[in-house]
PDB file of all heavy atoms in Angstrom:
ATOM      1  N   VAL A   9      25.140 -84.677 -54.960  1.00 87.00           N
ATOM      2  CA  VAL A   9      26.222 -83.873 -54.395  1.00 87.00           C
ATOM      3  C   VAL A   9      26.766 -84.609 -53.169  1.00 87.00           C
ATOM      4  O   VAL A   9      25.992 -85.058 -52.311  1.00 87.00           O
ATOM      5  CB  VAL A   9      25.734 -82.468 -54.003  1.00 87.00           C
ATOM      6  CG1 VAL A   9      26.856 -81.671 -53.343  1.00 87.00           C
ATOM      7  CG2 VAL A   9      25.217 -81.741 -55.240  1.00 87.00           C
ATOM      8  N   VAL A  10      28.076 -84.752 -53.105  1.00 90.00           N
ATOM      9  CA  VAL A  10      28.732 -85.406 -51.971  1.00 90.00           C
ATOM     10  C   VAL A  10      29.120 -84.331 -50.961  1.00 90.00           C
ATOM     11  O   VAL A  10      29.732 -83.315 -51.316  1.00 90.00           O
ATOM     12  CB  VAL A  10      29.969 -86.199 -52.426  1.00 90.00           C
ATOM     13  CG1 VAL A  10      30.727 -86.743 -51.218  1.00 90.00           C
ATOM     14  CG2 VAL A  10      29.560 -87.326 -53.346  1.00 90.00           C
ATOM     15  N   GLN A  11      28.739 -84.561 -49.707  1.00 88.00           N
ATOM     16  CA  GLN A  11      29.121 -83.670 -48.617  1.00 88.00           C
ATOM     17  C   GLN A  11      30.063 -84.419 -47.675  1.00 88.00           C
ATOM     18  O   GLN A  11      29.747 -85.530 -47.226  1.00 88.00           O
ATOM     19  CB  GLN A  11      27.899 -83.192 -47.827  1.00 88.00           C
ATOM     20  CG  GLN A  11      27.019 -82.230 -48.593  1.00 88.00           C
ATOM     21  CD  GLN A  11      25.872 -81.713 -47.751  1.00 88.00           C
ATOM     22  OE1 GLN A  11      25.492 -82.337 -46.763  1.00 88.00           O
ATOM     23  NE2 GLN A  11      25.316 -80.574 -48.137  1.00 88.00           N
ATOM     24  N   LEU A  12      31.207 -83.824 -47.394  1.00 90.00           N
ATOM     25  CA  LEU A  12      32.170 -84.364 -46.432  1.00 90.00           C
ATOM     26  C   LEU A  12      32.216 -83.402 -45.250  1.00 90.00           C
ATOM     27  O   LEU A  12      32.674 -82.252 -45.384  1.00 90.00           O
ATOM     28  CB  LEU A  12      33.558 -84.521 -47.066  1.00 90.00           C
ATOM     29  CG  LEU A  12      33.664 -85.514 -48.226  1.00 90.00           C
ATOM     30  CD1 LEU A  12      35.084 -85.564 -48.763  1.00 90.00           C
ATOM     31  CD2 LEU A  12      33.213 -86.911 -47.804  1.00 90.00           C
ATOM     32  N   VAL A  13      31.729 -83.875 -44.122  1.00 87.00           N
ATOM     33  CA  VAL A  13      31.688 -83.064 -42.905  1.00 87.00           C
ATOM     34  C   VAL A  13      32.873 -83.449 -42.029  1.00 87.00           C
ATOM     35  O   VAL A  13      33.025 -84.615 -41.646  1.00 87.00           O
ATOM     36  CB  VAL A  13      30.372 -83.284 -42.133  1.00 87.00           C
ATOM     37  CG1 VAL A  13      30.324 -82.399 -40.898  1.00 87.00           C
ATOM     38  CG2 VAL A  13      29.181 -83.010 -43.041  1.00 87.00           C
ATOM     39  N   HIS A  14      33.710 -82.487 -41.714  1.00 89.00           N
ATOM     40  CA  HIS A  14      34.918 -82.740 -40.925  1.00 89.00           C
ATOM     41  C   HIS A  14      34.544 -82.832 -39.442  1.00 89.00           C
ATOM     42  O   HIS A  14      34.109 -81.849 -38.833  1.00 89.00           O
ATOM     43  CB  HIS A  14      35.943 -81.636 -41.151  1.00 89.00           C
ATOM     44  CG  HIS A  14      36.472 -81.597 -42.560  1.00 89.00           C
ATOM     45  ND1 HIS A  14      37.650 -82.170 -42.937  1.00 89.00           N
ATOM     46  CD2 HIS A  14      35.918 -81.058 -43.688  1.00 89.00           C
ATOM     47  CE1 HIS A  14      37.834 -81.975 -44.232  1.00 89.00           C
ATOM     48  NE2 HIS A  14      36.799 -81.303 -44.717  1.00 89.00           N
ATOM     49  N   PHE A  19      40.416 -79.297 -40.240  1.00 90.00           N
ATOM     50  CA  PHE A  19      39.257 -78.579 -40.782  1.00 90.00           C
ATOM     51  C   PHE A  19      37.993 -78.915 -39.997  1.00 90.00           C
ATOM     52  O   PHE A  19      36.900 -78.955 -40.558  1.00 90.00           O
ATOM     53  CB  PHE A  19      39.062 -78.928 -42.259  1.00 90.00           C
ATOM     54  CG  PHE A  19      40.278 -78.709 -43.111  1.00 90.00           C
ATOM     55  CD1 PHE A  19      40.679 -79.654 -44.037  1.00 90.00           C
ATOM     56  CD2 PHE A  19      41.036 -77.553 -42.976  1.00 90.00           C
ATOM     57  CE1 PHE A  19      41.796 -79.455 -44.818  1.00 90.00           C
ATOM     58  CE2 PHE A  19      42.161 -77.344 -43.755  1.00 90.00           C
ATOM     59  CZ  PHE A  19      42.554 -78.299 -44.681  1.00 90.00           C
ATOM     60  N   GLY A  21      34.633 -79.087 -38.232  1.00 83.00           N
ATOM     61  CA  GLY A  21      33.468 -78.231 -38.327  1.00 83.00           C
ATOM     62  C   GLY A  21      33.154 -77.757 -39.727  1.00 83.00           C
ATOM     63  O   GLY A  21      32.073 -77.219 -39.977  1.00 83.00           O
ATOM     64  N   ARG A  22      34.070 -77.968 -40.691  1.00 87.00           N
ATOM     65  CA  ARG A  22      33.845 -77.503 -42.060  1.00 87.00           C
ATOM     66  C   ARG A  22      33.062 -78.546 -42.844  1.00 87.00           C
ATOM     67  O   ARG A  22      33.195 -79.751 -42.605  1.00 87.00           O
ATOM     68  CB  ARG A  22      35.188 -77.216 -42.740  1.00 87.00           C
ATOM     69  CG  ARG A  22      35.076 -76.361 -43.994  1.00 87.00           C
ATOM     70  CD  ARG A  22      36.443 -76.031 -44.552  1.00 87.00           C
ATOM     71  NE  ARG A  22      37.015 -77.160 -45.291  1.00 87.00           N
ATOM     72  CZ  ARG A  22      38.201 -77.115 -45.898  1.00 87.00           C
ATOM     73  NH1 ARG A  22      38.936 -76.018 -45.813  1.00 87.00           N
ATOM     74  NH2 ARG A  22      38.654 -78.171 -46.556  1.00 87.00           N
ATOM     75  N   ILE A  23      32.258 -78.105 -43.793  1.00 87.00           N
ATOM     76  CA  ILE A  23      31.477 -78.981 -44.668  1.00 87.00           C
ATOM     77  C   ILE A  23      31.888 -78.675 -46.103  1.00 87.00           C
ATOM     78  O   ILE A  23      31.751 -77.540 -46.572  1.00 87.00           O
ATOM     79  CB  ILE A  23      29.966 -78.779 -44.481  1.00 87.00           C
ATOM     80  CG1 ILE A  23      29.565 -79.041 -43.015  1.00 87.00           C
ATOM     81  CG2 ILE A  23      29.181 -79.690 -45.407  1.00 87.00           C
ATOM     82  CD1 ILE A  23      28.109 -78.756 -42.729  1.00 87.00           C
ATOM     83  N   ASP A  24      32.418 -79.684 -46.798  1.00 90.00           N
ATOM     84  CA  ASP A  24      32.827 -79.542 -48.199  1.00 90.00           C
ATOM     85  C   ASP A  24      31.819 -80.270 -49.087  1.00 90.00           C
ATOM     86  O   ASP A  24      31.356 -81.372 -48.753  1.00 90.00           O
ATOM     87  CB  ASP A  24      34.222 -80.127 -48.423  1.00 90.00           C
ATOM     88  CG  ASP A  24      35.290 -79.336 -47.665  1.00 90.00           C
ATOM     89  OD1 ASP A  24      35.121 -78.115 -47.538  1.00 90.00           O
ATOM     90  OD2 ASP A  24      36.274 -79.944 -47.207  1.00 90.00           O
ATOM     91  N   GLU A  25      31.474 -79.657 -50.227  1.00 90.00           N
ATOM     92  CA  GLU A  25      30.548 -80.247 -51.178  1.00 90.00           C
ATOM     93  C   GLU A  25      31.266 -80.461 -52.507  1.00 90.00           C
ATOM     94  O   GLU A  25      32.019 -79.587 -52.977  1.00 90.00           O
ATOM     95  CB  GLU A  25      29.325 -79.347 -51.385  1.00 90.00           C
ATOM     96  CG  GLU A  25      28.423 -79.238 -50.163  1.00 90.00           C
ATOM     97  CD  GLU A  25      27.163 -78.448 -50.445  1.00 90.00           C
ATOM     98  OE1 GLU A  25      27.044 -77.915 -51.572  1.00 90.00           O
ATOM     99  OE2 GLU A  25      26.289 -78.368 -49.556  1.00 90.00           O
ATOM    100  N   PHE A  26      31.042 -81.641 -53.089  1.00 91.00           N
ATOM    101  CA  PHE A  26      31.659 -82.002 -54.376  1.00 91.00           C
ATOM    102  C   PHE A  26      30.595 -82.632 -55.261  1.00 91.00           C
ATOM    103  O   PHE A  26      29.764 -83.416 -54.781  1.00 91.00           O
ATOM    104  CB  PHE A  26      32.815 -82.989 -54.174  1.00 91.00           C
ATOM    105  CG  PHE A  26      33.868 -82.516 -53.205  1.00 91.00           C
ATOM    106  CD1 PHE A  26      33.837 -82.938 -51.877  1.00 91.00           C
ATOM    107  CD2 PHE A  26      34.858 -81.649 -53.611  1.00 91.00           C
ATOM    108  CE1 PHE A  26      34.804 -82.520 -50.989  1.00 91.00           C
ATOM    109  CE2 PHE A  26      35.832 -81.218 -52.714  1.00 91.00           C
ATOM    110  CZ  PHE A  26      35.798 -81.641 -51.402  1.00 91.00           C
ATOM    111  N   SER A  27      30.627 -82.291 -56.552  1.00 89.00           N
ATOM    112  CA  SER A  27      29.735 -82.897 -57.545  1.00 89.00           C
ATOM    113  C   SER A  27      30.532 -83.559 -58.663  1.00 89.00           C
ATOM    114  O   SER A  27      29.973 -83.865 -59.717  1.00 89.00           O
ATOM    115  CB  SER A  27      28.792 -81.835 -58.119  1.00 89.00           C
ATOM    116  OG  SER A  27      29.537 -80.755 -58.676  1.00 89.00           O
ATOM    117  N   ILE A  31      36.587 -87.812 -56.687  1.00 94.00           N
ATOM    118  CA  ILE A  31      37.020 -86.871 -55.650  1.00 94.00           C
ATOM    119  C   ILE A  31      38.317 -87.410 -55.066  1.00 94.00           C
ATOM    120  O   ILE A  31      38.348 -88.504 -54.483  1.00 94.00           O
ATOM    121  CB  ILE A  31      35.956 -86.733 -54.553  1.00 94.00           C
ATOM    122  CG1 ILE A  31      34.615 -86.313 -55.144  1.00 94.00           C
ATOM    123  CG2 ILE A  31      36.402 -85.733 -53.491  1.00 94.00           C
ATOM    124  CD1 ILE A  31      33.465 -86.373 -54.169  1.00 94.00           C
ATOM    125  N   HIS A  40      41.161 -82.652 -54.578  1.00 93.00           N
ATOM    126  CA  HIS A  40      39.933 -81.922 -54.285  1.00 93.00           C
ATOM    127  C   HIS A  40      39.860 -81.573 -52.802  1.00 93.00           C
ATOM    128  O   HIS A  40      39.473 -80.465 -52.437  1.00 93.00           O
ATOM    129  CB  HIS A  40      38.713 -82.767 -54.694  1.00 93.00           C
ATOM    130  CG  HIS A  40      38.595 -82.974 -56.178  1.00 93.00           C
ATOM    131  ND1 HIS A  40      39.265 -83.972 -56.851  1.00 93.00           N
ATOM    132  CD2 HIS A  40      37.893 -82.281 -57.118  1.00 93.00           C
ATOM    133  CE1 HIS A  40      38.967 -83.923 -58.134  1.00 93.00           C
ATOM    134  NE2 HIS A  40      38.139 -82.898 -58.333  1.00 93.00           N
ATOM    135  N   LEU A  41      40.216 -82.549 -51.956  1.00 93.00           N
ATOM    136  CA  LEU A  41      40.301 -82.300 -50.513  1.00 93.00           C
ATOM    137  C   LEU A  41      41.780 -82.401 -50.140  1.00 93.00           C
ATOM    138  O   LEU A  41      42.324 -83.493 -49.991  1.00 93.00           O
ATOM    139  CB  LEU A  41      39.470 -83.313 -49.726  1.00 93.00           C
ATOM    140  CG  LEU A  41      39.542 -83.208 -48.191  1.00 93.00           C
ATOM    141  CD1 LEU A  41      39.167 -81.817 -47.713  1.00 93.00           C
ATOM    142  CD2 LEU A  41      38.639 -84.254 -47.542  1.00 93.00           C
ATOM    143  N   ALA A  42      42.426 -81.220 -50.010  1.00 93.00           N
ATOM    144  CA  ALA A  42      43.862 -81.167 -49.755  1.00 93.00           C
ATOM    145  C   ALA A  42      44.105 -80.835 -48.288  1.00 93.00           C
ATOM    146  O   ALA A  42      43.670 -79.780 -47.802  1.00 93.00           O
ATOM    147  CB  ALA A  42      44.521 -80.127 -50.648  1.00 93.00           C
ATOM    148  N   PHE A  43      44.773 -81.752 -47.586  1.00 93.00           N
ATOM    149  CA  PHE A  43      45.132 -81.527 -46.189  1.00 93.00           C
ATOM    150  C   PHE A  43      46.465 -80.776 -46.119  1.00 93.00           C
ATOM    151  O   PHE A  43      47.210 -80.703 -47.114  1.00 93.00           O
ATOM    152  CB  PHE A  43      45.230 -82.863 -45.454  1.00 93.00           C
ATOM    153  CG  PHE A  43      43.903 -83.493 -45.165  1.00 93.00           C
ATOM    154  CD1 PHE A  43      43.410 -84.501 -45.972  1.00 93.00           C
ATOM    155  CD2 PHE A  43      43.131 -83.053 -44.101  1.00 93.00           C
ATOM    156  CE1 PHE A  43      42.170 -85.073 -45.708  1.00 93.00           C
ATOM    157  CE2 PHE A  43      41.898 -83.617 -43.829  1.00 93.00           C
ATOM    158  CZ  PHE A  43      41.414 -84.634 -44.640  1.00 93.00           C
ATOM    159  N   VAL A 101      36.055 -87.685 -41.252  1.00 90.00           N
ATOM    160  CA  VAL A 101      35.001 -86.987 -41.977  1.00 90.00           C
ATOM    161  C   VAL A 101      33.787 -87.896 -42.046  1.00 90.00           C
ATOM    162  O   VAL A 101      33.905 -89.127 -41.986  1.00 90.00           O
ATOM    163  CB  VAL A 101      35.453 -86.566 -43.397  1.00 90.00           C
ATOM    164  CG1 VAL A 101      36.616 -85.602 -43.345  1.00 90.00           C
ATOM    165  CG2 VAL A 101      35.799 -87.778 -44.237  1.00 90.00           C
ATOM    166  N   SER A 102      32.629 -87.285 -42.160  1.00 89.00           N
ATOM    167  CA  SER A 102      31.378 -88.019 -42.316  1.00 89.00           C
ATOM    168  C   SER A 102      30.906 -87.871 -43.751  1.00 89.00           C
ATOM    169  O   SER A 102      30.890 -86.769 -44.309  1.00 89.00           O
ATOM    170  CB  SER A 102      30.324 -87.484 -41.344  1.00 89.00           C
ATOM    171  OG  SER A 102      29.112 -88.181 -41.505  1.00 89.00           O
ATOM    172  N   LEU A 104      28.158 -87.975 -46.714  1.00 87.00           N
ATOM    173  CA  LEU A 104      26.732 -87.734 -46.883  1.00 87.00           C
ATOM    174  C   LEU A 104      26.483 -87.351 -48.331  1.00 87.00           C
ATOM    175  O   LEU A 104      27.312 -86.686 -48.971  1.00 87.00           O
ATOM    176  CB  LEU A 104      26.256 -86.618 -45.954  1.00 87.00           C
ATOM    177  CG  LEU A 104      24.760 -86.335 -45.949  1.00 87.00           C
ATOM    178  CD1 LEU A 104      24.000 -87.474 -45.293  1.00 87.00           C
ATOM    179  CD2 LEU A 104      24.459 -85.030 -45.235  1.00 87.00           C
ATOM    180  N   ILE A 156      24.378 -86.208 -40.162  1.00 83.00           N
ATOM    181  CA  ILE A 156      24.051 -84.962 -40.847  1.00 83.00           C
ATOM    182  C   ILE A 156      22.589 -85.036 -41.270  1.00 83.00           C
ATOM    183  O   ILE A 156      22.127 -86.053 -41.804  1.00 83.00           O
ATOM    184  CB  ILE A 156      24.951 -84.750 -42.076  1.00 83.00           C
ATOM    185  CG1 ILE A 156      26.410 -84.642 -41.636  1.00 83.00           C
ATOM    186  CG2 ILE A 156      24.540 -83.510 -42.847  1.00 83.00           C
ATOM    187  CD1 ILE A 156      27.370 -84.483 -42.760  1.00 83.00           C
ATOM    188  N   MET A 237      28.061 -72.128 -40.772  1.00 87.00           N
ATOM    189  CA  MET A 237      29.055 -72.273 -41.833  1.00 87.00           C
ATOM    190  C   MET A 237      28.607 -71.635 -43.140  1.00 87.00           C
ATOM    191  O   MET A 237      29.260 -71.824 -44.169  1.00 87.00           O
ATOM    192  CB  MET A 237      29.338 -73.768 -42.065  1.00 87.00           C
ATOM    193  CG  MET A 237      29.676 -74.552 -40.815  1.00 87.00           C
ATOM    194  SD  MET A 237      31.077 -73.873 -39.905  1.00 87.00           S
ATOM    195  CE  MET A 237      32.385 -74.119 -41.078  1.00 87.00           C
ATOM    196  N   LYS A 241      23.906 -73.790 -43.170  1.00 89.00           N
ATOM    197  CA  LYS A 241      24.572 -74.958 -42.603  1.00 89.00           C
ATOM    198  C   LYS A 241      24.970 -74.681 -41.159  1.00 89.00           C
ATOM    199  O   LYS A 241      25.617 -73.670 -40.869  1.00 89.00           O
ATOM    200  CB  LYS A 241      25.821 -75.319 -43.419  1.00 89.00           C
ATOM    201  CG  LYS A 241      25.512 -75.655 -44.865  1.00 89.00           C
ATOM    202  CD  LYS A 241      26.793 -75.864 -45.661  1.00 89.00           C
ATOM    203  CE  LYS A 241      26.491 -76.076 -47.136  1.00 89.00           C
ATOM    204  NZ  LYS A 241      27.740 -76.201 -47.931  1.00 89.00           N
TER     205      LYS A 241
END
Side-chain angles (χ1 to χ4, degrees):
V9 177
V10 174
Q11 290 184 338
L12 296 180
V13 182
H14 294 262
F19 306 135
R22 197 176 78 179
I23 302 175
D24 294 326
E25 292 185 355
F26 305 97
S27 56
I31 304 171
H40 293 84
L41 177 56
F43 286 99
V101 298
S102 179
L104 185 70
I156 298 178
M237 309 304 295
K241 300 174 185 177

